[in-house]
Amino acid sequence: MIKGKQRVIEADRFYEADSGESTETTSLSPSITAYVFENGRRYNSKYNDGYYAFPNDEKENSRMQLVHHVYNSLFAGRLYFAPLRAPKRVLDIGTGTGNWAIDMADTYRDTAIIGTDISPIQPSWSPPNLKFEIDDAESEWNFANGSFDYVHFRHLIGSIADWPRMIKQSYDALKPGGWIEGQECYFYPTSDDSSLPENSAFKRWHDLLTEASIKSNRRLLTAAKIKGWFVDAGFVDVVETVIRLPNGAWPRDPRMKEIGAYQMSALLDGLDAISLSLFTRILGWKTEDVSSFLTAVKVDLRNKRIHSYYPVHVIYGRKPR
């Protein structure tokens, strides 16, 4: 109880200009917690409207914490790549379980950070300079122009219908000279040694997911386009770095081998979460057929002779002064 009270009191230092109460004291609308249950998984209340196709239950939330660890390891502990200089206000779009926002708030104690998401799955207590808000990044934003020094997003693939619109709203929400950064996986496997067979279940899984994401208008293969969207929105000094994320413990380098092992675990744990909605709702598969197919995908994932990886795109740019 003491920590909870302290959070509200301390948060006032950072958010006294904001309207409304803190997320800790504001009750949630019943529509937000009116979850949809399907195939043994829990989804956001907007699931039936064709929004976010992936679960928001405890199993998936635990997996997303593992995904955060994978990215943190892949980036060697770096939370961002943009050349930030003591940002005063930061926005984390699609914060999910809030891991990145919490780490950022712990690192920058004098920075006010807001994490937004469509699901109230964030922890009940967090650093005093961090506030979570339930908001839809695809709707009209309520932030005033020039509100933030830095806008961050990660792992939004497959959940955004109109990327240019979201990026334009980010541009408007940034102060002149502020930075935007996206950290997104190009969710299609490749290999440098032709060890990923064209007829493998793992590759076919991605082909089917890609097809379903196109039909649902929330494409998975968007990471390589973000740099161009940044430029089109008006950002300058745009920089893109592509980092390889191994899908198994096949690399010789000990660090990358460990990262690959964690990544494989995150994929194995997430096959159902990633597949069920898109396969059954969009492609018309039966649940039992999905389960049978995913068994073959798991075999490929565990095959150490397949040296596949995902390209992870880190893109940042600056709003002109």
Side-chain angles (χ1 to χ4, degrees):
M1 292 297 295
I2 294 176
K3 287 184 177 180
K5 291 181 179 178
Q6 183 181 12
R7 177 191 173 193
V8 175
I9 294 171
E10 291 295 320
D12 288 344
R13 289 198 299 117
F14 295 91
Y15 303 107
E16 59 186 4
D18 291 351
S19 61
E21 298 175 317
S22 75
T23 53
E24 184 172 75
T25 57
T26 302
S27 60
L28 297 176
S29 167
S31 64
I32 294 175
T33 54
Y35 299 124
V36 176
F37 292 85
E38 187 174 281
N39 296 320
R41 304 304 298 264
R42 189 188 75 186
Y43 296 85
N44 181 268
S45 58
K46 292 188 176 183
Y47 173 71
N48 284 328
D49 298 325
Y51 276 69
Y52 194 68
F54 311 112
N56 66 358
D57 51 27
E58 289 304 316
K59 181 179 180 182
E60 178 65 1
N61 295 344
S62 295
R63 189 182 77 87
M64 292 312 298
Q65 293 180 15
L66 177 58
V67 171
H68 175 70
H69 174 73
V70 169
Y71 274 78
N72 191 50
S73 301
L74 186 67
F75 297 159
R78 294 182 65 169
L79 292 171
Y80 59 87
F81 289 74
L84 302 182
R85 296 183 179 179
K88 294 181 179 180
R89 288 178 61 85
V90 169
L91 173 64
D92 184 30
I93 306 171
T95 193
T97 53
N99 295 95
W100 182 90
I102 291 170
D103 286 353
M104 192 72 173
D106 281 335
T107 303
Y108 294 94
R109 290 289 187 172
D110 293 327
T111 300
I113 298 174
I114 294 177
T116 62
D117 201 89
I118 59 173
S119 293
I121 56 175
Q122 300 75 37
S124 59
W125 190 89
S126 59
N129 54 324
L130 170 60
K131 181 169 67 171
F132 293 119
E133 295 183 358
I134 306 306
D135 201 2
D136 183 359
E138 295 194 274
S139 299
E140 194 70 27
W141 292 10
N142 294 318
F143 301 114
N145 289 351
S147 296
F148 298 98
D149 302 287
Y150 176 59
V151 172
H152 169 272
F153 62 87
R154 175 195 288 178
H155 221 57
L156 293 186
I157 55 170
S159 59
I160 301 297
D162 191 344
W163 279 87
R165 179 173 184 263
M166 190 200 76
I167 291 169
K168 177 60 168 59
Q169 292 202 87
S170 300
Y171 183 94
D172 293 339
L174 279 167
K175 299 176 182 178
W179 294 88
I180 186 174
E181 180 167 342
Q183 302 168 353
E184 294 291 340
C185 171
Y186 188 82
F187 200 67
Y188 199 87
T190 187
S191 66
D192 293 335
D193 57 4
S194 301
S195 61
L196 178 62
E198 287 295 317
N199 62 348
S200 68
F202 188 53
K203 191 172 186 300
R204 175 155 171 73
W205 179 60
H206 285 84
D207 289 334
L208 291 166
L209 287 173
T210 300
E211 177 188 347
S213 74
I214 292 172
K215 288 182 176 180
S216 63
N217 195 31
R218 283 177 169 77
R219 301 182 179 225
L220 285 167
L221 303 186
T222 54
K225 299 179 180 180
I226 293 174
K227 179 181 179 181
W229 288 330
F230 278 7
V231 173
D232 291 344
F235 289 104
V236 297
D237 299 332
V238 178
V239 175
E240 179 177 43
T241 302
V242 181
I243 305 172
R244 297 177 179 180
L245 173 58
N247 294 318
W250 55 263
R252 293 182 179 179
D253 178 76
R255 173 176 167 269
M256 296 306 294
K257 181 182 290 290
E258 181 179 3
I259 292 172
Y262 280 118
Q263 166 66 2
M264 181 180 69
S265 179
L267 280 173
L268 288 170
D269 291 346
L271 287 178
D272 283 352
I274 298 169
S275 309
L276 279 172
S277 173
L278 292 175
F279 274 65
T280 60
R281 287 201 163 209
I282 307 301
L283 300 182
W285 285 40
K286 295 181 180 179
T287 305
E288 54 268 28
D289 292 335
V290 178
S291 298
S292 177
F293 176 60
L294 293 182
T295 299
V297 176
K298 291 176 183 178
V299 172
D300 282 350
L301 262 175
R302 294 190 174 104
N303 188 345
K304 294 183 179 180
R305 286 179 287 187
I306 295 179
H307 305 154
S308 77
Y309 64 87
Y310 294 134
V312 174
H313 293 247
V314 177
I315 317 99
Y316 60 83
R318 179 176 60 83
K319 182 176 180 177
R321 295 185 180 279

